[in-house]
Amino acid sequence: MSDLITVREELMAVAIGDLGTLLDRVEKLAPQLEASRMELLSTSTDLAEKVEAYSKRMDEITENAKVQTVKHIARRADEMARGTVETQTRAMEEAARVVFRNEVGPTLQRVTLPLQDVAALARKGARPWEGWLLHAATAVLSSAISWAMAAWLWLR
């Protein structure tokens, strides 16, 4: 049994030695862990700043995209409205032509034909002496020629 105690003591001594070595290594590791922790805190702070800058930039990009989208929608709506107005204008013009051709045109022709006859009569009635003026001019000219012939014959 004394061998067991000696083996046990020897194992304990080795374990205590290993524990000492382990404690030395842990003590050496503590400053490295502290340096890593400080690096991690610094990196975390830098990352937070970069995330904040990235977030601001993304907000600006998003706002710009919103503005561009609204402008595009407004431009397309304006084009569509203009096209609709032009289409409606053409349709209204065509409808007006059809109505005029089918409804107003024949009625207007029925009204204008008698008015044209009345206008022709009015033109004639405005100068009733024109027809007589031609006859008077013919009579004066034939009388002058007759007098000239008679005078020539008489003087001869």
Side-chain angles (χ1 to χ4, degrees):
M1 195 136 141
S2 71
D3 286 335
L4 277 175
I5 293 175
T6 321
V7 172
R8 207 185 261 172
E9 286 176 358
E10 195 177 315
L11 283 173
M12 291 275 264
V14 169
I16 290 173
D18 287 345
L19 183 63
T21 306
L22 185 62
L23 285 174
D24 287 343
R25 288 172 89 187
V26 167
E27 285 176 1
K28 287 180 183 177
L29 190 60
Q32 290 176 350
L33 284 174
E34 184 62 27
S36 293
R37 186 181 75 81
M38 293 305 283
E39 275 293 318
L40 187 59
L41 284 174
S42 173
T43 304
S44 173
T45 305
D46 288 347
L47 184 61
E49 290 173 358
K50 289 180 180 178
V51 165
E52 187 176 329
Y54 177 76
S55 177
K56 286 180 182 177
R57 181 68 182 138
M58 286 306 296
D59 288 344
E60 291 172 1
I61 289 170
T62 303
E63 191 63 32
N64 185 33
K66 286 179 190 177
V67 168
Q68 294 301 323
T69 302
V70 167
K71 285 181 181 178
H72 176 73
I73 290 171
R75 187 172 44 251
R76 290 291 296 153
D78 187 44
E79 290 172 3
M80 293 294 289
R82 230 180 289 121
T84 302
V85 166
E86 289 174 4
T87 303
Q88 286 179 347
T89 302
R90 276 186 257 127
M92 289 172 65
E93 286 173 351
E94 183 60 30
R97 277 190 212 100
V98 168
V99 166
F100 190 80
R101 190 177 318 120
N102 295 339
E103 300 293 326
V104 177
T107 305
L108 193 59
Q109 283 180 341
R110 284 193 306 263
V111 170
T112 54
L113 286 176
L115 287 177
Q116 288 174 350
D117 293 339
V118 170
L121 287 174
R123 269 182 278 184
K124 284 183 182 178
R127 300 184 207 150
W129 45 269
E130 263 185 6
W132 293 102
L133 182 62
L134 179 62
H135 296 299
T138 304
V140 168
L141 186 61
S142 64
S143 174
I145 291 174
S146 297
W147 272 89
M149 288 281 283
W152 181 69
L153 285 174
W154 186 51
L155 287 175
R156 219 173 155 204

